[in-house]
Structure formats: C-alpha cells, structure tokens
PDB file of all heavy atoms in Angstrom:
ATOM      1  N   VAL A  16     152.997 -88.413 129.733  1.00 98.00           N
ATOM      2  CA  VAL A  16     152.099 -87.351 130.203  1.00 98.00           C
ATOM      3  C   VAL A  16     152.578 -86.059 129.651  1.00 98.00           C
ATOM      4  O   VAL A  16     151.697 -85.239 129.196  1.00 98.00           O
ATOM      5  CB  VAL A  16     151.984 -87.320 131.705  1.00 98.00           C
ATOM      6  CG1 VAL A  16     151.178 -86.119 132.261  1.00 98.00           C
ATOM      7  CG2 VAL A  16     151.436 -88.665 132.242  1.00 98.00           C
ATOM      8  N   ALA A  17     153.879 -85.773 129.602  1.00 98.00           N
ATOM      9  CA  ALA A  17     154.396 -84.569 129.062  1.00 98.00           C
ATOM     10  C   ALA A  17     154.016 -84.444 127.528  1.00 98.00           C
ATOM     11  O   ALA A  17     153.580 -83.356 127.087  1.00 98.00           O
ATOM     12  CB  ALA A  17     155.888 -84.491 129.154  1.00 98.00           C
ATOM     13  N   ARG A  18     154.005 -85.518 126.819  1.00 98.00           N
ATOM     14  CA  ARG A  18     153.609 -85.514 125.454  1.00 98.00           C
ATOM     15  C   ARG A  18     152.114 -85.150 125.401  1.00 98.00           C
ATOM     16  O   ARG A  18     151.689 -84.377 124.498  1.00 98.00           O
ATOM     17  CB  ARG A  18     153.884 -86.826 124.686  1.00 98.00           C
ATOM     18  CG  ARG A  18     155.343 -87.051 124.415  1.00 98.00           C
ATOM     19  CD  ARG A  18     155.583 -88.237 123.503  1.00 98.00           C
ATOM     20  NE  ARG A  18     155.127 -89.512 124.064  1.00 98.00           N
ATOM     21  CZ  ARG A  18     155.761 -90.300 124.899  1.00 98.00           C
ATOM     22  NH1 ARG A  18     156.983 -89.833 125.292  1.00 98.00           N
ATOM     23  NH2 ARG A  18     155.250 -91.415 125.330  1.00 98.00           N
ATOM     24  N   GLY A  19     151.318 -85.708 126.260  1.00 98.00           N
ATOM     25  CA  GLY A  19     149.910 -85.400 126.329  1.00 98.00           C
ATOM     26  C   GLY A  19     149.666 -83.952 126.555  1.00 98.00           C
ATOM     27  O   GLY A  19     148.766 -83.320 126.023  1.00 98.00           O
ATOM     28  N   LEU A  20     150.395 -83.355 127.545  1.00 98.00           N
ATOM     29  CA  LEU A  20     150.230 -81.938 127.870  1.00 98.00           C
ATOM     30  C   LEU A  20     150.617 -81.049 126.724  1.00 98.00           C
ATOM     31  O   LEU A  20     149.947 -80.037 126.437  1.00 98.00           O
ATOM     32  CB  LEU A  20     151.053 -81.632 129.095  1.00 98.00           C
ATOM     33  CG  LEU A  20     150.634 -82.305 130.418  1.00 98.00           C
ATOM     34  CD1 LEU A  20     151.563 -81.996 131.583  1.00 98.00           C
ATOM     35  CD2 LEU A  20     149.226 -81.874 130.833  1.00 98.00           C
ATOM     36  N   THR A  21     151.635 -81.481 125.922  1.00 98.00           N
ATOM     37  CA  THR A  21     152.026 -80.774 124.768  1.00 98.00           C
ATOM     38  C   THR A  21     150.927 -80.743 123.730  1.00 98.00           C
ATOM     39  O   THR A  21     150.527 -79.742 123.082  1.00 98.00           O
ATOM     40  CB  THR A  21     153.302 -81.309 124.141  1.00 98.00           C
ATOM     41  OG1 THR A  21     154.416 -81.157 125.175  1.00 98.00           O
ATOM     42  CG2 THR A  21     153.676 -80.571 122.847  1.00 98.00           C
ATOM     43  N   ALA A  22     150.231 -81.896 123.621  1.00 98.00           N
ATOM     44  CA  ALA A  22     149.095 -82.019 122.643  1.00 98.00           C
ATOM     45  C   ALA A  22     147.916 -81.204 123.136  1.00 98.00           C
ATOM     46  O   ALA A  22     147.212 -80.612 122.255  1.00 98.00           O
ATOM     47  CB  ALA A  22     148.641 -83.503 122.562  1.00 98.00           C
ATOM     48  N   VAL A  23     147.671 -81.122 124.445  1.00 98.00           N
ATOM     49  CA  VAL A  23     146.628 -80.355 124.968  1.00 98.00           C
ATOM     50  C   VAL A  23     146.883 -78.806 124.628  1.00 98.00           C
ATOM     51  O   VAL A  23     145.966 -78.118 124.165  1.00 98.00           O
ATOM     52  CB  VAL A  23     146.405 -80.477 126.458  1.00 98.00           C
ATOM     53  CG1 VAL A  23     145.448 -79.479 127.095  1.00 98.00           C
ATOM     54  CG2 VAL A  23     145.910 -81.924 126.757  1.00 98.00           C
ATOM     55  N   ALA A  24     148.126 -78.384 124.787  1.00 98.00           N
ATOM     56  CA  ALA A  24     148.453 -77.001 124.457  1.00 98.00           C
ATOM     57  C   ALA A  24     148.230 -76.767 122.971  1.00 98.00           C
ATOM     58  O   ALA A  24     147.775 -75.719 122.648  1.00 98.00           O
ATOM     59  CB  ALA A  24     149.940 -76.719 124.927  1.00 98.00           C
ATOM     60  N   ALA A  25     148.744 -77.637 122.182  1.00 98.00           N
ATOM     61  CA  ALA A  25     148.682 -77.497 120.751  1.00 98.00           C
ATOM     62  C   ALA A  25     147.217 -77.441 120.269  1.00 98.00           C
ATOM     63  O   ALA A  25     146.987 -76.717 119.257  1.00 98.00           O
ATOM     64  CB  ALA A  25     149.367 -78.646 120.028  1.00 98.00           C
ATOM     65  N   ALA A  26     146.363 -78.049 120.883  1.00 97.00           N
ATOM     66  CA  ALA A  26     144.865 -78.017 120.600  1.00 97.00           C
ATOM     67  C   ALA A  26     144.246 -76.669 121.074  1.00 97.00           C
ATOM     68  O   ALA A  26     143.064 -76.479 120.916  1.00 97.00           O
ATOM     69  CB  ALA A  26     144.183 -79.195 121.127  1.00 97.00           C
ATOM     70  N   GLY A  27     144.994 -75.932 121.880  1.00 96.00           N
ATOM     71  CA  GLY A  27     144.442 -74.682 122.392  1.00 96.00           C
ATOM     72  C   GLY A  27     143.517 -74.880 123.526  1.00 96.00           C
ATOM     73  O   GLY A  27     142.748 -73.967 123.853  1.00 96.00           O
ATOM     74  N   LEU A  28     143.682 -75.956 124.305  1.00 97.00           N
ATOM     75  CA  LEU A  28     142.836 -76.283 125.397  1.00 97.00           C
ATOM     76  C   LEU A  28     143.588 -75.905 126.738  1.00 97.00           C
ATOM     77  O   LEU A  28     144.804 -75.566 126.740  1.00 97.00           O
ATOM     78  CB  LEU A  28     142.527 -77.764 125.420  1.00 97.00           C
ATOM     79  CG  LEU A  28     141.702 -78.201 124.173  1.00 97.00           C
ATOM     80  CD1 LEU A  28     141.545 -79.737 124.152  1.00 97.00           C
ATOM     81  CD2 LEU A  28     140.336 -77.493 124.093  1.00 97.00           C
ATOM     82  N   VAL A  29     142.824 -76.077 127.795  1.00 98.00           N
ATOM     83  CA  VAL A  29     143.354 -75.713 129.178  1.00 98.00           C
ATOM     84  C   VAL A  29     143.390 -77.097 129.917  1.00 98.00           C
ATOM     85  O   VAL A  29     142.539 -77.960 129.642  1.00 98.00           O
ATOM     86  CB  VAL A  29     142.355 -74.803 129.881  1.00 98.00           C
ATOM     87  CG1 VAL A  29     142.706 -74.558 131.268  1.00 98.00           C
ATOM     88  CG2 VAL A  29     142.339 -73.437 129.167  1.00 98.00           C
ATOM     89  N   TYR A  30     144.319 -77.269 130.822  1.00 98.00           N
ATOM     90  CA  TYR A  30     144.436 -78.405 131.547  1.00 98.00           C
ATOM     91  C   TYR A  30     144.179 -78.167 132.994  1.00 98.00           C
ATOM     92  O   TYR A  30     144.797 -77.404 133.677  1.00 98.00           O
ATOM     93  CB  TYR A  30     145.882 -79.046 131.422  1.00 98.00           C
ATOM     94  CG  TYR A  30     145.988 -80.458 132.064  1.00 98.00           C
ATOM     95  CD1 TYR A  30     145.468 -81.516 131.327  1.00 98.00           C
ATOM     96  CD2 TYR A  30     146.443 -80.724 133.307  1.00 98.00           C
ATOM     97  CE1 TYR A  30     145.530 -82.793 131.866  1.00 98.00           C
ATOM     98  CE2 TYR A  30     146.477 -81.967 133.865  1.00 98.00           C
ATOM     99  CZ  TYR A  30     146.016 -83.048 133.142  1.00 98.00           C
ATOM    100  OH  TYR A  30     146.073 -84.270 133.639  1.00 98.00           O
ATOM    101  N   ASP A  31     143.103 -78.805 133.551  1.00 98.00           N
ATOM    102  CA  ASP A  31     142.635 -78.699 134.936  1.00 98.00           C
ATOM    103  C   ASP A  31     143.442 -79.698 135.747  1.00 98.00           C
ATOM    104  O   ASP A  31     143.476 -80.877 135.429  1.00 98.00           O
ATOM    105  CB  ASP A  31     141.221 -78.864 135.064  1.00 98.00           C
ATOM    106  CG  ASP A  31     140.370 -77.606 134.767  1.00 98.00           C
ATOM    107  OD1 ASP A  31     140.815 -76.902 133.941  1.00 98.00           O
ATOM    108  OD2 ASP A  31     139.336 -77.426 135.441  1.00 98.00           O
ATOM    109  N   LEU A  32     143.960 -79.290 136.911  1.00 98.00           N
ATOM    110  CA  LEU A  32     144.723 -80.109 137.767  1.00 98.00           C
ATOM    111  C   LEU A  32     143.776 -80.527 138.962  1.00 98.00           C
ATOM    112  O   LEU A  32     143.464 -79.708 139.747  1.00 98.00           O
ATOM    113  CB  LEU A  32     145.981 -79.394 138.351  1.00 98.00           C
ATOM    114  CG  LEU A  32     146.996 -78.988 137.311  1.00 98.00           C
ATOM    115  CD1 LEU A  32     147.889 -77.908 137.877  1.00 98.00           C
ATOM    116  CD2 LEU A  32     147.815 -80.212 136.936  1.00 98.00           C
ATOM    117  N   VAL A  33     143.456 -81.841 139.060  1.00 98.00           N
ATOM    118  CA  VAL A  33     142.783 -82.400 140.125  1.00 98.00           C
ATOM    119  C   VAL A  33     143.805 -83.182 140.950  1.00 98.00           C
ATOM    120  O   VAL A  33     143.998 -84.327 140.651  1.00 98.00           O
ATOM    121  CB  VAL A  33     141.635 -83.309 139.680  1.00 98.00           C
ATOM    122  CG1 VAL A  33     140.759 -83.789 140.874  1.00 98.00           C
ATOM    123  CG2 VAL A  33     140.665 -82.473 138.717  1.00 98.00           C
ATOM    124  N   VAL A  34     144.304 -82.523 141.956  1.00 98.00           N
ATOM    125  CA  VAL A  34     145.483 -83.082 142.636  1.00 98.00           C
ATOM    126  C   VAL A  34     145.268 -82.962 144.131  1.00 98.00           C
ATOM    127  O   VAL A  34     144.444 -82.190 144.645  1.00 98.00           O
ATOM    128  CB  VAL A  34     146.808 -82.415 142.283  1.00 98.00           C
ATOM    129  CG1 VAL A  34     147.095 -82.615 140.804  1.00 98.00           C
ATOM    130  CG2 VAL A  34     146.778 -80.907 142.580  1.00 98.00           C
ATOM    131  N   LEU A  35     146.176 -83.536 144.896  1.00 97.00           N
ATOM    132  CA  LEU A  35     146.267 -83.426 146.384  1.00 97.00           C
ATOM    133  C   LEU A  35     147.480 -82.613 146.769  1.00 97.00           C
ATOM    134  O   LEU A  35     148.386 -82.415 145.898  1.00 97.00           O
ATOM    135  CB  LEU A  35     146.356 -84.867 146.950  1.00 97.00           C
ATOM    136  CG  LEU A  35     145.151 -85.740 146.744  1.00 97.00           C
ATOM    137  CD1 LEU A  35     145.421 -87.181 147.186  1.00 97.00           C
ATOM    138  CD2 LEU A  35     143.926 -85.162 147.421  1.00 97.00           C
ATOM    139  N   PRO A  36     147.553 -82.075 147.890  1.00 97.00           N
ATOM    140  CA  PRO A  36     148.746 -81.200 148.268  1.00 97.00           C
ATOM    141  C   PRO A  36     150.074 -81.821 148.004  1.00 97.00           C
ATOM    142  O   PRO A  36     150.963 -80.987 147.536  1.00 97.00           O
ATOM    143  CB  PRO A  36     148.476 -80.958 149.773  1.00 97.00           C
ATOM    144  CG  PRO A  36     147.008 -81.002 149.945  1.00 97.00           C
ATOM    145  CD  PRO A  36     146.540 -82.175 149.014  1.00 97.00           C
ATOM    146  N   HIS A  37     150.276 -83.096 148.245  1.00 97.00           N
ATOM    147  CA  HIS A  37     151.603 -83.666 148.008  1.00 97.00           C
ATOM    148  C   HIS A  37     151.964 -83.728 146.541  1.00 97.00           C
ATOM    149  O   HIS A  37     153.158 -83.971 146.208  1.00 97.00           O
ATOM    150  CB  HIS A  37     151.727 -85.008 148.694  1.00 97.00           C
ATOM    151  CG  HIS A  37     150.982 -86.179 147.958  1.00 97.00           C
ATOM    152  ND1 HIS A  37     149.644 -86.368 148.073  1.00 97.00           N
ATOM    153  CD2 HIS A  37     151.445 -87.060 147.083  1.00 97.00           C
ATOM    154  CE1 HIS A  37     149.326 -87.376 147.298  1.00 97.00           C
ATOM    155  NE2 HIS A  37     150.390 -87.772 146.731  1.00 97.00           N
ATOM    156  N   GLN A  38     150.987 -83.543 145.642  1.00 98.00           N
ATOM    157  CA  GLN A  38     151.263 -83.500 144.192  1.00 98.00           C
ATOM    158  C   GLN A  38     151.535 -82.112 143.641  1.00 98.00           C
ATOM    159  O   GLN A  38     151.931 -81.910 142.472  1.00 98.00           O
ATOM    160  CB  GLN A  38     150.100 -84.165 143.541  1.00 98.00           C
ATOM    161  CG  GLN A  38     149.928 -85.578 143.815  1.00 98.00           C
ATOM    162  CD  GLN A  38     148.615 -86.153 143.408  1.00 98.00           C
ATOM    163  OE1 GLN A  38     147.567 -85.483 143.518  1.00 98.00           O
ATOM    164  NE2 GLN A  38     148.638 -87.350 142.872  1.00 98.00           N
ATOM    165  N   LEU A  39     151.436 -81.085 144.472  1.00 98.00           N
ATOM    166  CA  LEU A  39     151.641 -79.689 143.983  1.00 98.00           C
ATOM    167  C   LEU A  39     153.082 -79.416 143.470  1.00 98.00           C
ATOM    168  O   LEU A  39     153.158 -78.748 142.479  1.00 98.00           O
ATOM    169  CB  LEU A  39     151.221 -78.723 145.080  1.00 98.00           C
ATOM    170  CG  LEU A  39     149.715 -78.513 145.354  1.00 98.00           C
ATOM    171  CD1 LEU A  39     149.483 -77.715 146.584  1.00 98.00           C
ATOM    172  CD2 LEU A  39     148.970 -77.994 144.119  1.00 98.00           C
ATOM    173  N   PRO A  40     154.121 -79.983 144.092  1.00 98.00           N
ATOM    174  CA  PRO A  40     155.437 -79.690 143.555  1.00 98.00           C
ATOM    175  C   PRO A  40     155.525 -80.231 142.062  1.00 98.00           C
ATOM    176  O   PRO A  40     156.116 -79.532 141.200  1.00 98.00           O
ATOM    177  CB  PRO A  40     156.389 -80.506 144.396  1.00 98.00           C
ATOM    178  CG  PRO A  40     155.623 -80.492 145.744  1.00 98.00           C
ATOM    179  CD  PRO A  40     154.205 -80.660 145.391  1.00 98.00           C
TER     180      PRO A  40
END
C-alpha cells in the first residue's frame, strides 16, 4: 500500500481516505 501511495503522489493525485475512527491512527 505504501508503494501505491508513493505512486499516487508521483502522479500528482490526491488520496481520499474512506475510513472508520479506529483506522485514524
């Protein structure tokens, strides 16, 4: 997932977080 997030950043995109409270940390 970290590699994917790096690729999202390299593409100049934004990552939306669809999470629940226990996933916030």
